[in-house]
Amino acid sequence: MIVTKGFVELHCHLREPGFEYKEDIASGMAAAKTGGYGIICPMPNTNPVCDNVETLKYIQARAAQIGGVKVLPVCAMTKDLNSDELVDFEALHNAGAIAFSNDGRPVENMATFKRILQEGKRLGLVMMSHAENTEFSPFDNRSEYTAVGRELKVVEEVGGQLHFCHISTKESLELIRTAKKKGLNVTCETAPHYFTLSGRHDEARFKMNPPLRSEVDRLAVIEALQDGTIDAIATDHAPHSIEEKTRPFNEAPFGIVGFETAFALGYTYLVCTGKLNLDEFLKKMIDNPARIIGVEPFGRVEIDLDEEWVVNAKEFRTKAKNSPFEGMKLYGKVKGCEYV
Ligand code: DOR
Ligand code: ZN
Ligand code: ZN
């Protein structure tokens, strides 16, 4: 048994307001608690989009009413996530937005992206990028790394802090490694599925964006976790309804759940295999993500490292009852979480 600080989740989707049939703030917070999280940062692709103070306040108030896990919402960078009209960064920041992202969609207009970074620099904000070049299929590595490349050019020109979400390819990691060596203020996260799974799978429970990559990419992700190119492990917990995820692969939405398997996947695939020691792994779950958003970790988690368990999504607290990890035997079970 070990006791640690609560995990810090930089990137998840709670779906409320607007898509409560997929997840709501209460079910998402319950799943986060089961997974050992003390702090979670939900992305703004709700309906309405969290691009305004009123929606931000609604999420904060609902989370406070439920209590437990600390919920620190990420607000949109542009109105409705699909426009070139910037949000009121200053008002949202003052109302408690922890960071800004259009996650779910990329910002592809580099003139707009530049204005976003300039505002970020001026106000000292954390920008989080869903880097995707939609000229390519998401299943082509170029969709990720050409977007990472063009965004890094803007960071080099403007400055400011940029965090890359869900990095999955070898080429993107090489670009970020080089940018860090140059001294740019960039960080990145990967998700457990990118260091545990690879290849094509035709069931929708394996469908997420960015998608699973090749074995070469999976190994490059592990190497980048080892050398510090990847700062943090975030789940991109992205629940969808059972009906949506039992559709054929091509008709199902992108997104898988992650809160309730993240620790055990990291422990089993990174620590038990000797790729990282326990302390290094915990830094990517707690201290590094906390540093990126400038907060102190929160909560206290008890974990039984020796417990062996089999993933059964029907037992999850999230509303989404399927997972690419179904039936997997994992080590390390979160036994309890306290929020004091
Ligand atoms: O898999 C994903 N799901 N990728 C995204 O970029 C969006 C997310 C979602 O909101 O479902
Ligand atoms: Zn994304
Ligand atoms: Zn996401």
Side-chain angles (χ1 to χ4, degrees):
M1 266 314 210
I2 60 158
V3 174
T4 73
K5 294 176 272 187
F7 307 140
V8 178
E9 169 70 280
L10 290 179
H11 182 165
C12 65
H13 300 266
L14 298 183
R15 306 303 191 199
E16 183 180 346
F19 304 105
E20 290 83 355
Y21 71 96
K22 297 174 192 271
E23 189 84 294
D24 58 34
I25 294 171
S27 63
M29 287 173 72
K33 178 178 167 129
T34 308
Y37 287 87
I39 297 176
I40 59 176
C41 303
M43 288 294 180
N45 60 342
T46 48
N47 184 21
V49 168
C50 191
D51 60 7
N52 63 86
V53 170
E54 193 189 337
T55 305
L56 172 61
K57 289 204 151 113
Y58 169 79
I59 297 166
Q60 290 166 330
R62 183 73 192 113
Q65 187 181 46
I66 297 159
V69 188
K70 220 176 247 184
V71 176
L72 302 176
V74 177
C75 289
M77 294 163 157
T78 68
K79 285 277 173 193
D80 287 329
L81 303 175
N82 59 6
S83 73
D84 293 306
E85 185 193 337
L86 303 197
V87 298
D88 186 342
F89 285 108
E90 198 156 3
L92 290 164
H93 177 59
N94 290 338
I98 194 69
F100 295 84
S101 180
N102 276 12
D103 185 58
R105 289 165 175 273
V107 175
E108 299 208 87
N109 178 334
M110 286 299 106
T112 302
F113 190 72
K114 185 172 169 179
R115 289 195 292 136
I116 290 167
L117 278 190
Q118 283 167 333
E119 279 292 277
K121 188 182 178 190
R122 184 173 76 83
L123 297 163
L125 311 175
V126 185
M127 298 297 175
M128 295 182 164
S129 163
H130 168 117
E132 181 176 355
N133 181 344
T134 58
E135 280 170 41
F136 300 103
S137 151
F139 295 92
D140 181 330
N141 281 20
R142 287 177 293 180
S143 67
E144 182 180 270
Y145 72 78
T146 60
V148 168
R150 69 189 176 190
E151 291 179 18
L152 283 173
K153 283 209 182 85
V154 183
V155 180
E156 193 157 9
E157 189 189 335
V158 174
Q161 182 183 352
L162 184 64
H163 174 77
F164 287 102
C165 296
H166 46 51
I167 291 297
S168 63
T169 68
K170 184 181 163 134
E171 297 88 348
S172 299
L173 290 165
E174 198 43 52
L175 291 167
I176 293 166
R177 188 175 283 124
T178 305
K180 285 184 162 192
K181 281 191 189 136
K182 281 190 197 163
L184 302 190
N185 191 1
V186 293
T187 53
C188 75
E189 71 192 34
T190 193
H193 36 283
Y194 304 118
F195 61 75
T196 55
L197 302 171
S198 61
R200 291 290 177 97
H201 300 263
D202 56 12
E203 287 168 82
R205 66 193 173 95
F206 289 91
K207 183 173 179 181
M208 76 293 282
N209 189 22
L212 298 176
R213 305 292 183 185
S214 70
E215 188 60 10
V216 169
D217 294 300
R218 187 181 76 85
L219 296 174
V221 167
I222 293 174
E223 202 185 312
L225 283 161
Q226 292 175 308
D227 75 8
T229 302
I230 297 176
D231 303 272
I233 297 168
T235 68
D236 198 0
H237 176 84
H240 294 287
S241 71
I242 299 165
E243 183 278 317
E244 288 167 314
K245 293 298 275 187
T246 44
R247 291 179 196 163
F249 191 89
N250 288 327
E251 291 158 33
F254 288 98
I256 64 164
V257 293
F259 285 143
E260 292 166 86
T261 47
F263 175 83
L265 288 166
Y267 186 67
T268 305
Y269 281 82
L270 300 173
V271 181
C272 296
T273 55
K275 306 289 185 195
L276 294 181
N277 65 38
L278 180 61
D279 190 54
E280 290 165 332
F281 168 53
L282 288 176
K283 281 212 164 62
K284 306 218 190 251
M285 296 288 285
I286 305 167
D287 300 83
N288 294 356
R291 195 193 63 239
I292 290 167
I293 52 172
V295 299
E296 282 301 316
F298 174 67
R300 185 179 167 277
V301 181
E302 268 185 43
I303 304 163
D304 183 348
L305 292 180
D306 294 331
E307 185 168 332
E308 193 182 301
W309 59 288
V310 175
V311 178
N312 175 3
K314 286 195 188 70
E315 292 173 356
F316 286 169
R317 301 295 301 272
T318 173
K319 289 188 185 181
K321 302 295 181 195
N322 62 47
S323 160
F325 307 112
E326 181 71 29
M328 253 188 202
K329 192 165 89 179
L330 299 176
Y331 295 91
K333 183 96 174 150
V334 174
K335 303 303 284 185
C337 236
E338 270 182 73
Y339 300 110
V340 279

